[in-house]
Amino acid sequence: MRIFRISFINQGKVYQLYAESVKQAEVFGFIEIRKLIFGEASTLVIDPSEEKLKNEFSGVSRTLVPMHAIIRVDEVEKRGQCKIMELDANANITPFPNPYLRPDKGSDS
């Protein structure tokens, strides 16, 4: 089984997920992530950020992430910890500018 670690920016935070399938979506400009992998429910130590992600993505068969929000996709040997990290103000990670979603200041409409 192939396992991918996907890091992307969502609402000012960095999400790190593990999945079995990552590919370009049919929707232009989006990456499709399928078969998310979370920790076993039988473990004694429960990570609150992983539980939050598990609840957020419960019932989701696939998720589409905008291509410009993707930081990195790695193929890894085994699954690690899914997590949500704060985006540090001093970090070198900056979302790409998106001219398509910016309102035009010179527009009269």
Side-chain angles (χ1 to χ4, degrees), residues 1-7 17-22 37 72-80:
M1 173 175 68
R2 297 172 73 181
I3 299 174
F4 296 94
R5 177 178 55 212
I6 306 100
S7 300
L17 299 176
Y18 289 84
E20 293 180 22
S21 174
V22 178
I37 304 170
R72 184 176 179 153
V73 176
D74 298 314
E75 185 173 357
V76 295
E77 292 181 12
K78 62 180 189 175
R79 185 195 81 81

PDB file of all heavy atoms in Angstrom, residues 1-7 17-22 37 72-80:
ATOM      1  N   MET A   1       0.852  -1.186   0.000  1.00  0.00           N
ATOM      2  CA  MET A   1       0.000   0.000   0.000  1.00  0.00           C
ATOM      3  C   MET A   1       0.893   1.243   0.000  1.00  0.00           C
ATOM      4  O   MET A   1       1.833   1.343   0.774  1.00  0.00           O
ATOM      5  CB  MET A   1      -0.896  -0.016   1.242  1.00  0.00           C
ATOM      6  CG  MET A   1      -1.690   1.252   1.419  1.00  0.00           C
ATOM      7  SD  MET A   1      -2.869   1.252   2.784  1.00  0.00           S
ATOM      8  CE  MET A   1      -1.829   1.222   4.202  1.00  0.00           C
ATOM      9  N   ARG A   2       0.590   2.176  -0.878  1.00  0.00           N
ATOM     10  CA  ARG A   2       1.305   3.449  -0.929  1.00  0.00           C
ATOM     11  C   ARG A   2       0.663   4.417   0.057  1.00  0.00           C
ATOM     12  O   ARG A   2      -0.557   4.484   0.168  1.00  0.00           O
ATOM     13  CB  ARG A   2       1.253   4.026  -2.337  1.00  0.00           C
ATOM     14  CG  ARG A   2       1.954   3.134  -3.350  1.00  0.00           C
ATOM     15  CD  ARG A   2       1.724   3.608  -4.748  1.00  0.00           C
ATOM     16  NE  ARG A   2       2.499   4.823  -4.979  1.00  0.00           N
ATOM     17  CZ  ARG A   2       2.487   5.499  -6.126  1.00  0.00           C
ATOM     18  NH1 ARG A   2       1.746   5.081  -7.120  1.00  0.00           N
ATOM     19  NH2 ARG A   2       3.204   6.568  -6.264  1.00  0.00           N
ATOM     20  N   ILE A   3       1.507   5.169   0.771  1.00  0.00           N
ATOM     21  CA  ILE A   3       1.018   6.151   1.735  1.00  0.00           C
ATOM     22  C   ILE A   3       1.630   7.503   1.401  1.00  0.00           C
ATOM     23  O   ILE A   3       2.835   7.613   1.185  1.00  0.00           O
ATOM     24  CB  ILE A   3       1.386   5.748   3.181  1.00  0.00           C
ATOM     25  CG1 ILE A   3       0.751   4.398   3.524  1.00  0.00           C
ATOM     26  CG2 ILE A   3       0.937   6.819   4.170  1.00  0.00           C
ATOM     27  CD1 ILE A   3       1.168   3.860   4.873  1.00  0.00           C
ATOM     28  N   PHE A   4       0.787   8.525   1.358  1.00  0.00           N
ATOM     29  CA  PHE A   4       1.226   9.883   1.053  1.00  0.00           C
ATOM     30  C   PHE A   4       0.988  10.784   2.250  1.00  0.00           C
ATOM     31  O   PHE A   4      -0.041  10.681   2.916  1.00  0.00           O
ATOM     32  CB  PHE A   4       0.461  10.435  -0.156  1.00  0.00           C
ATOM     33  CG  PHE A   4       0.720   9.682  -1.419  1.00  0.00           C
ATOM     34  CD1 PHE A   4      -0.112   8.652  -1.810  1.00  0.00           C
ATOM     35  CD2 PHE A   4       1.804   9.999  -2.219  1.00  0.00           C
ATOM     36  CE1 PHE A   4       0.118   7.943  -2.973  1.00  0.00           C
ATOM     37  CE2 PHE A   4       2.047   9.304  -3.377  1.00  0.00           C
ATOM     38  CZ  PHE A   4       1.203   8.274  -3.761  1.00  0.00           C
ATOM     39  N   ARG A   5       1.940  11.673   2.510  1.00  0.00           N
ATOM     40  CA  ARG A   5       1.785  12.719   3.527  1.00  0.00           C
ATOM     41  C   ARG A   5       1.543  14.020   2.762  1.00  0.00           C
ATOM     42  O   ARG A   5       2.356  14.437   1.952  1.00  0.00           O
ATOM     43  CB  ARG A   5       3.040  12.823   4.387  1.00  0.00           C
ATOM     44  CG  ARG A   5       2.948  13.945   5.407  1.00  0.00           C
ATOM     45  CD  ARG A   5       4.164  14.010   6.296  1.00  0.00           C
ATOM     46  NE  ARG A   5       5.373  14.110   5.480  1.00  0.00           N
ATOM     47  CZ  ARG A   5       6.551  13.588   5.829  1.00  0.00           C
ATOM     48  NH1 ARG A   5       6.681  12.918   6.943  1.00  0.00           N
ATOM     49  NH2 ARG A   5       7.591  13.728   5.046  1.00  0.00           N
ATOM     50  N   ILE A   6       0.417  14.665   3.030  1.00  0.00           N
ATOM     51  CA  ILE A   6       0.033  15.890   2.333  1.00  0.00           C
ATOM     52  C   ILE A   6      -0.005  17.028   3.336  1.00  0.00           C
ATOM     53  O   ILE A   6      -0.675  16.925   4.363  1.00  0.00           O
ATOM     54  CB  ILE A   6      -1.359  15.744   1.664  1.00  0.00           C
ATOM     55  CG1 ILE A   6      -1.402  14.523   0.752  1.00  0.00           C
ATOM     56  CG2 ILE A   6      -1.711  16.994   0.884  1.00  0.00           C
ATOM     57  CD1 ILE A   6      -2.063  13.338   1.358  1.00  0.00           C
ATOM     58  N   SER A   7       0.707  18.102   3.027  1.00  0.00           N
ATOM     59  CA  SER A   7       0.683  19.311   3.865  1.00  0.00           C
ATOM     60  C   SER A   7       0.057  20.428   3.045  1.00  0.00           C
ATOM     61  O   SER A   7       0.454  20.662   1.905  1.00  0.00           O
ATOM     62  CB  SER A   7       2.097  19.708   4.277  1.00  0.00           C
ATOM     63  OG  SER A   7       2.711  18.682   5.005  1.00  0.00           O
ATOM     64  N   LEU A  17      -1.973  15.607   6.594  1.00  0.00           N
ATOM     65  CA  LEU A  17      -2.808  14.410   6.529  1.00  0.00           C
ATOM     66  C   LEU A  17      -2.049  13.281   5.853  1.00  0.00           C
ATOM     67  O   LEU A  17      -1.108  13.520   5.098  1.00  0.00           O
ATOM     68  CB  LEU A  17      -4.079  14.684   5.714  1.00  0.00           C
ATOM     69  CG  LEU A  17      -5.029  15.755   6.218  1.00  0.00           C
ATOM     70  CD1 LEU A  17      -6.164  15.955   5.224  1.00  0.00           C
ATOM     71  CD2 LEU A  17      -5.583  15.380   7.575  1.00  0.00           C
ATOM     72  N   TYR A  18      -2.511  12.061   6.083  1.00  0.00           N
ATOM     73  CA  TYR A  18      -1.972  10.877   5.419  1.00  0.00           C
ATOM     74  C   TYR A  18      -3.110  10.239   4.640  1.00  0.00           C
ATOM     75  O   TYR A  18      -4.233  10.156   5.129  1.00  0.00           O
ATOM     76  CB  TYR A  18      -1.396   9.899   6.440  1.00  0.00           C
ATOM     77  CG  TYR A  18      -0.125  10.419   7.061  1.00  0.00           C
ATOM     78  CD1 TYR A  18      -0.170  11.291   8.134  1.00  0.00           C
ATOM     79  CD2 TYR A  18       1.108  10.070   6.544  1.00  0.00           C
ATOM     80  CE1 TYR A  18       0.994  11.794   8.688  1.00  0.00           C
ATOM     81  CE2 TYR A  18       2.278  10.560   7.094  1.00  0.00           C
ATOM     82  CZ  TYR A  18       2.214  11.428   8.165  1.00  0.00           C
ATOM     83  OH  TYR A  18       3.366  11.931   8.692  1.00  0.00           O
ATOM     84  N   ALA A  19      -2.803   9.799   3.411  1.00  0.00           N
ATOM     85  CA  ALA A  19      -3.825   9.223   2.550  1.00  0.00           C
ATOM     86  C   ALA A  19      -3.208   8.160   1.656  1.00  0.00           C
ATOM     87  O   ALA A  19      -2.002   8.123   1.444  1.00  0.00           O
ATOM     88  CB  ALA A  19      -4.474  10.312   1.708  1.00  0.00           C
ATOM     89  N   GLU A  20      -4.076   7.317   1.101  1.00  0.00           N
ATOM     90  CA  GLU A  20      -3.637   6.271   0.184  1.00  0.00           C
ATOM     91  C   GLU A  20      -3.635   6.733  -1.266  1.00  0.00           C
ATOM     92  O   GLU A  20      -2.985   6.128  -2.104  1.00  0.00           O
ATOM     93  CB  GLU A  20      -4.527   5.046   0.324  1.00  0.00           C
ATOM     94  CG  GLU A  20      -4.392   4.345   1.656  1.00  0.00           C
ATOM     95  CD  GLU A  20      -5.292   3.132   1.760  1.00  0.00           C
ATOM     96  OE1 GLU A  20      -5.704   2.570   0.720  1.00  0.00           O
ATOM     97  OE2 GLU A  20      -5.604   2.737   2.895  1.00  0.00           O
ATOM     98  N   SER A  21      -4.351   7.802  -1.572  1.00  0.00           N
ATOM     99  CA  SER A  21      -4.461   8.246  -2.959  1.00  0.00           C
ATOM    100  C   SER A  21      -4.449   9.772  -3.049  1.00  0.00           C
ATOM    101  O   SER A  21      -5.203  10.438  -2.342  1.00  0.00           O
ATOM    102  CB  SER A  21      -5.770   7.709  -3.564  1.00  0.00           C
ATOM    103  OG  SER A  21      -5.972   8.232  -4.850  1.00  0.00           O
ATOM    104  N   VAL A  22      -3.578  10.280  -3.912  1.00  0.00           N
ATOM    105  CA  VAL A  22      -3.516  11.716  -4.193  1.00  0.00           C
ATOM    106  C   VAL A  22      -3.368  11.855  -5.711  1.00  0.00           C
ATOM    107  O   VAL A  22      -2.499  11.220  -6.312  1.00  0.00           O
ATOM    108  CB  VAL A  22      -2.298  12.383  -3.508  1.00  0.00           C
ATOM    109  CG1 VAL A  22      -2.221  13.860  -3.861  1.00  0.00           C
ATOM    110  CG2 VAL A  22      -2.350  12.196  -2.018  1.00  0.00           C
ATOM    111  N   ILE A  37      -6.028   8.360   6.132  1.00  0.00           N
ATOM    112  CA  ILE A  37      -5.586   7.379   7.121  1.00  0.00           C
ATOM    113  C   ILE A  37      -5.409   8.089   8.459  1.00  0.00           C
ATOM    114  O   ILE A  37      -4.659   9.056   8.559  1.00  0.00           O
ATOM    115  CB  ILE A  37      -4.247   6.742   6.706  1.00  0.00           C
ATOM    116  CG1 ILE A  37      -4.360   6.123   5.309  1.00  0.00           C
ATOM    117  CG2 ILE A  37      -3.817   5.713   7.733  1.00  0.00           C
ATOM    118  CD1 ILE A  37      -3.021   5.696   4.753  1.00  0.00           C
ATOM    119  N   ARG A  72       3.249  20.590   0.209  1.00  0.00           N
ATOM    120  CA  ARG A  72       4.123  19.476  -0.118  1.00  0.00           C
ATOM    121  C   ARG A  72       3.336  18.175  -0.116  1.00  0.00           C
ATOM    122  O   ARG A  72       2.412  17.997   0.673  1.00  0.00           O
ATOM    123  CB  ARG A  72       5.216  19.440   0.935  1.00  0.00           C
ATOM    124  CG  ARG A  72       6.272  18.445   0.751  1.00  0.00           C
ATOM    125  CD  ARG A  72       7.302  18.643   1.827  1.00  0.00           C
ATOM    126  NE  ARG A  72       8.325  17.640   1.649  1.00  0.00           N
ATOM    127  CZ  ARG A  72       9.557  17.779   2.032  1.00  0.00           C
ATOM    128  NH1 ARG A  72       9.935  18.865   2.648  1.00  0.00           N
ATOM    129  NH2 ARG A  72      10.430  16.833   1.828  1.00  0.00           N
ATOM    130  N   VAL A  73       3.736  17.235  -1.000  1.00  0.00           N
ATOM    131  CA  VAL A  73       3.194  15.879  -1.020  1.00  0.00           C
ATOM    132  C   VAL A  73       4.383  14.926  -1.032  1.00  0.00           C
ATOM    133  O   VAL A  73       5.238  15.020  -1.907  1.00  0.00           O
ATOM    134  CB  VAL A  73       2.300  15.626  -2.256  1.00  0.00           C
ATOM    135  CG1 VAL A  73       1.832  14.180  -2.285  1.00  0.00           C
ATOM    136  CG2 VAL A  73       1.116  16.577  -2.281  1.00  0.00           C
ATOM    137  N   ASP A  74       4.455  14.039  -0.041  1.00  0.00           N
ATOM    138  CA  ASP A  74       5.544  13.062   0.073  1.00  0.00           C
ATOM    139  C   ASP A  74       4.968  11.661   0.085  1.00  0.00           C
ATOM    140  O   ASP A  74       3.938  11.420   0.720  1.00  0.00           O
ATOM    141  CB  ASP A  74       6.327  13.254   1.380  1.00  0.00           C
ATOM    142  CG  ASP A  74       7.004  14.605   1.478  1.00  0.00           C
ATOM    143  OD1 ASP A  74       7.633  15.013   0.490  1.00  0.00           O
ATOM    144  OD2 ASP A  74       6.902  15.241   2.544  1.00  0.00           O
ATOM    145  N   GLU A  75       5.659  10.730  -0.583  1.00  0.00           N
ATOM    146  CA  GLU A  75       5.312   9.319  -0.430  1.00  0.00           C
ATOM    147  C   GLU A  75       6.191   8.792   0.692  1.00  0.00           C
ATOM    148  O   GLU A  75       7.414   8.931   0.650  1.00  0.00           O
ATOM    149  CB  GLU A  75       5.563   8.546  -1.717  1.00  0.00           C
ATOM    150  CG  GLU A  75       5.095   7.115  -1.624  1.00  0.00           C
ATOM    151  CD  GLU A  75       5.169   6.359  -2.933  1.00  0.00           C
ATOM    152  OE1 GLU A  75       5.530   6.956  -3.961  1.00  0.00           O
ATOM    153  OE2 GLU A  75       4.868   5.162  -2.915  1.00  0.00           O
ATOM    154  N   VAL A  76       5.576   8.216   1.711  1.00  0.00           N
ATOM    155  CA  VAL A  76       6.305   7.776   2.907  1.00  0.00           C
ATOM    156  C   VAL A  76       6.136   6.271   3.099  1.00  0.00           C
ATOM    157  O   VAL A  76       5.239   5.656   2.532  1.00  0.00           O
ATOM    158  CB  VAL A  76       5.837   8.546   4.162  1.00  0.00           C
ATOM    159  CG1 VAL A  76       6.173  10.015   4.062  1.00  0.00           C
ATOM    160  CG2 VAL A  76       4.346   8.366   4.403  1.00  0.00           C
ATOM    161  N   GLU A  77       7.011   5.694   3.929  1.00  0.00           N
ATOM    162  CA  GLU A  77       6.967   4.251   4.167  1.00  0.00           C
ATOM    163  C   GLU A  77       5.882   3.858   5.154  1.00  0.00           C
ATOM    164  O   GLU A  77       5.281   2.803   5.046  1.00  0.00           O
ATOM    165  CB  GLU A  77       8.324   3.768   4.663  1.00  0.00           C
ATOM    166  CG  GLU A  77       9.396   3.872   3.605  1.00  0.00           C
ATOM    167  CD  GLU A  77      10.733   3.358   4.096  1.00  0.00           C
ATOM    168  OE1 GLU A  77      10.782   2.716   5.172  1.00  0.00           O
ATOM    169  OE2 GLU A  77      11.727   3.608   3.402  1.00  0.00           O
ATOM    170  N   LYS A  78       5.646   4.713   6.166  1.00  0.00           N
ATOM    171  CA  LYS A  78       4.584   4.405   7.126  1.00  0.00           C
ATOM    172  C   LYS A  78       3.898   5.682   7.573  1.00  0.00           C
ATOM    173  O   LYS A  78       4.443   6.770   7.460  1.00  0.00           O
ATOM    174  CB  LYS A  78       5.119   3.626   8.324  1.00  0.00           C
ATOM    175  CG  LYS A  78       6.138   4.357   9.148  1.00  0.00           C
ATOM    176  CD  LYS A  78       6.594   3.468  10.296  1.00  0.00           C
ATOM    177  CE  LYS A  78       7.460   4.282  11.241  1.00  0.00           C
ATOM    178  NZ  LYS A  78       7.826   3.521  12.419  1.00  0.00           N
ATOM    179  N   ARG A  79       2.707   5.510   8.094  1.00  0.00           N
ATOM    180  CA  ARG A  79       1.884   6.639   8.509  1.00  0.00           C
ATOM    181  C   ARG A  79       2.448   7.264   9.771  1.00  0.00           C
ATOM    182  O   ARG A  79       2.916   6.586  10.669  1.00  0.00           O
ATOM    183  CB  ARG A  79       0.456   6.155   8.779  1.00  0.00           C
ATOM    184  CG  ARG A  79      -0.490   7.294   9.091  1.00  0.00           C
ATOM    185  CD  ARG A  79      -1.774   6.793   9.692  1.00  0.00           C
ATOM    186  NE  ARG A  79      -1.663   6.520  11.104  1.00  0.00           N
ATOM    187  CZ  ARG A  79      -1.736   7.449  12.070  1.00  0.00           C
ATOM    188  NH1 ARG A  79      -1.901   8.698  11.760  1.00  0.00           N
ATOM    189  NH2 ARG A  79      -1.645   7.121  13.331  1.00  0.00           N
ATOM    190  N   GLY A  80       2.395   8.571   9.816  1.00  0.00           N
ATOM    191  CA  GLY A  80       2.790   9.311  11.005  1.00  0.00           C
ATOM    192  C   GLY A  80       1.567   9.919  11.658  1.00  0.00           C
ATOM    193  O   GLY A  80       0.440   9.500  11.419  1.00  0.00           O
TER     194      GLY A  80
END
